[in-house]
Amino acid sequence: MTDTRAPEIGEDAVITPRFRTRLRRAVFWIVMAAFGLLVVAVVSSMAGAGSTGAPPLDPTSADPEGAKAVAEVLEAEGVTVTAVASADDALGALESAGDATLFVVDTPYLDPSRLAGLAGAAGSIVLVDPSFPVLQELAPDVRIAGSAGGDGVDAECSDPTSERAERATVDNTYRIDGDVEGCFPVDGDRFGVVSVPGATPLTIVGSPAVFANGSVTNYGNAALALGLLGASDELVWYVPGLADVEADAPPTIGELTPGWVVPSLLLVLLATVAAGVWRGRRFGPLVVEPLPVTVRAGETMEGRARLYQRTSARLRALDSLRIGAIERIASLLALSRHADAGDVSAAAAALTGRSPNEVRSILIDAVPRSDAELVGLSDALTILEAQIRTLTDPTGRRAR
């Protein structure tokens, strides 16, 4: 008979994976990590390409979102431009300059409560794209009215500066009440530029594109920007920064985090989840490990039999018996290991003289419908195997 038992593991057998095997298994994760680092590097370089990291409308920045072009033209026309990054510096510059124009760029660091003190020291104020709290502090009669899409809009008002510009870019619009005058109307009741009269005249411009390097030459943006900021010989250009943050109110992580960090982390996370789903559905190689105790074959057989009985898996139980019987009969008949069940059934029928259909029913086709039929088929298998064993010698040759 052919020995079908698994070979025992020798004492000198190596079952611990070698370094080369571990490296081969880790190739995928190494490639994924390299890909993630490459994506982060590319996104970082794209986000930082051509950018100095300066805030929008910074008078010293040559970026498309900066405003260096307007600041240099104003200085060429004799206007003294003082760039400041905190409310304290802005107040000091206004007090020393006298009747100066205060240009305020609304950023997340701007404290609306400190604008009232700056307004009292300035001759006039130009405010760009203010938030709701800033409007409530300086111009309660002005309300945010939504976006206009960044198209060019005609002035259509009596303000001299807006009339000279004739047409300008309008991004955000405002609705007005009282004595407030609006220019560059959209849909009749929304305005891109608003003038608020008072002791300190206030002009609200809803579009940063009027002053930005990349769009100041569009329409009449340059004329409007130079007209508003060049009204006096002194201009205090205030872009709020970290110096305006109070000690008990630090900026949030979102405000301090570069814009490329979140999309890069999301991409790496999605790649990791996809890799986990892909690799997690594949089984690794079998690991040979000796059992801590010796389990008798009879106990295993009885345990499996109880499981089959509990779930009424009669056909599965019979198939287990058939597989063992067919392997032993094939060995007794000296058939090839690759012979299928049909070939074994035909050879057994020819040897025993039984009907091929009867032998095939016992070995393959019959389906037990009850426990009694299962026991009957099990007995038939045993009788058939015993009959073949008596007709053959132990070496697998047929008895004469």
Side-chain angles (χ1 to χ4, degrees):
M1 294 180 60
T2 302
D3 189 0
T4 59
R5 293 178 299 174
E8 296 183 356
I9 301 175
E11 295 181 356
D12 58 345
V14 178
I15 62 175
T16 301
R18 300 178 184 273
F19 174 76
R20 184 179 301 176
T21 303
R22 291 181 179 273
L23 182 61
R24 185 167 58 251
R25 295 175 183 174
V27 166
F28 172 80
W29 299 108
I30 295 174
V31 172
M32 289 301 301
F35 175 74
L37 292 176
L38 178 63
V39 169
V40 171
V42 170
V43 174
S44 176
S45 61
M46 292 179 62
S51 174
T52 61
L57 299 186
D58 189 298
T60 63
S61 173
D63 292 347
E65 294 80 13
K68 186 175 181 179
V70 173
E72 289 187 347
V73 172
L74 288 171
E75 290 180 338
E77 294 297 326
V79 178
T80 302
V81 179
T82 304
V84 295
S86 69
D88 293 336
D89 293 342
L91 182 59
L94 290 172
E95 291 175 347
S96 61
D99 191 21
T101 299
L102 174 63
F103 181 47
V104 182
V105 180
D106 194 355
T107 71
Y109 307 107
L110 180 61
D111 185 359
S113 62
R114 306 192 67 178
L115 288 178
L118 297 179
S124 62
I125 299 178
V126 178
L127 184 59
V128 180
D129 192 18
S131 61
F132 177 77
V134 174
L135 282 179
Q136 289 294 102
E137 183 70 29
L138 294 183
D141 291 336
V142 180
R143 305 182 305 278
I144 296 176
S147 175
D151 298 327
V153 178
D154 295 331
E156 298 183 12
C157 66
S158 60
D159 179 68
T161 302
S162 299
E163 282 186 336
R164 284 194 299 270
E166 294 183 356
R167 189 175 180 84
T169 301
V170 175
D171 286 319
N172 299 313
T173 61
Y174 307 92
R175 287 189 171 90
I176 57 178
D177 293 324
D179 297 334
V180 180
E181 181 181 5
C183 296
F184 303 97
V186 178
D187 298 334
D189 61 343
R190 298 187 298 150
F191 302 93
V193 177
V194 174
S195 299
V196 182
T200 303
L202 170 65
T203 302
I204 300 173
V205 181
S207 177
V210 172
F211 308 92
N213 296 327
S215 53
V216 69
T217 58
N218 297 342
Y219 310 114
N221 291 346
L224 180 59
L226 297 175
L228 292 174
L229 302 184
S232 64
D233 295 336
E234 298 287 340
L235 174 64
V236 177
W237 196 303
Y238 175 34
V239 181
L242 285 172
D244 284 329
V245 179
E246 297 293 341
D248 58 345
T252 63
I253 295 179
E255 294 171 347
L256 298 178
T257 302
W260 57 266
V261 172
V262 174
S264 299
L265 291 179
L266 289 177
L267 182 59
V268 173
L269 178 61
L270 290 177
T272 303
V273 172
V277 173
W278 173 48
R279 297 294 294 182
R281 295 176 61 86
R282 300 183 60 181
F283 294 102
L286 295 177
V287 178
V288 179
E289 182 179 359
L291 294 176
V293 295
T294 301
V295 180
R296 297 180 180 177
E299 295 179 2
T300 303
M301 181 183 65
E302 291 178 3
R304 183 174 296 181
R306 291 192 186 97
L307 290 176
Y308 288 157
Q309 182 181 18
R310 185 178 302 173
T311 58
S312 299
R314 302 182 186 92
L315 182 58
R316 182 178 293 274
L318 181 60
D319 285 341
S320 298
L321 298 176
R322 281 171 170 171
I323 291 172
I326 290 173
E327 289 181 352
R328 291 189 294 272
I329 291 173
S331 177
L332 292 173
L333 297 178
L335 296 177
S336 169
R337 293 190 309 167
H338 303 291
D340 59 18
D343 296 336
V344 176
S345 174
L351 176 64
T352 60
R354 294 191 184 190
S355 169
N357 291 336
E358 177 189 357
V359 176
R360 183 178 178 88
S361 176
I362 296 173
L363 293 178
I364 303 173
D365 295 336
V367 178
R369 304 296 180 184
S370 64
D371 291 344
E373 292 183 8
L374 174 61
V375 173
L377 288 171
S378 175
D379 292 341
L381 279 173
T382 303
I383 294 172
L384 177 62
E385 183 179 350
Q387 184 180 4
I388 294 174
R389 191 177 297 278
T390 60
L391 295 175
T392 59
D393 60 15
T395 61
R397 298 174 184 175
R398 296 185 180 183
R400 296 177 181 176

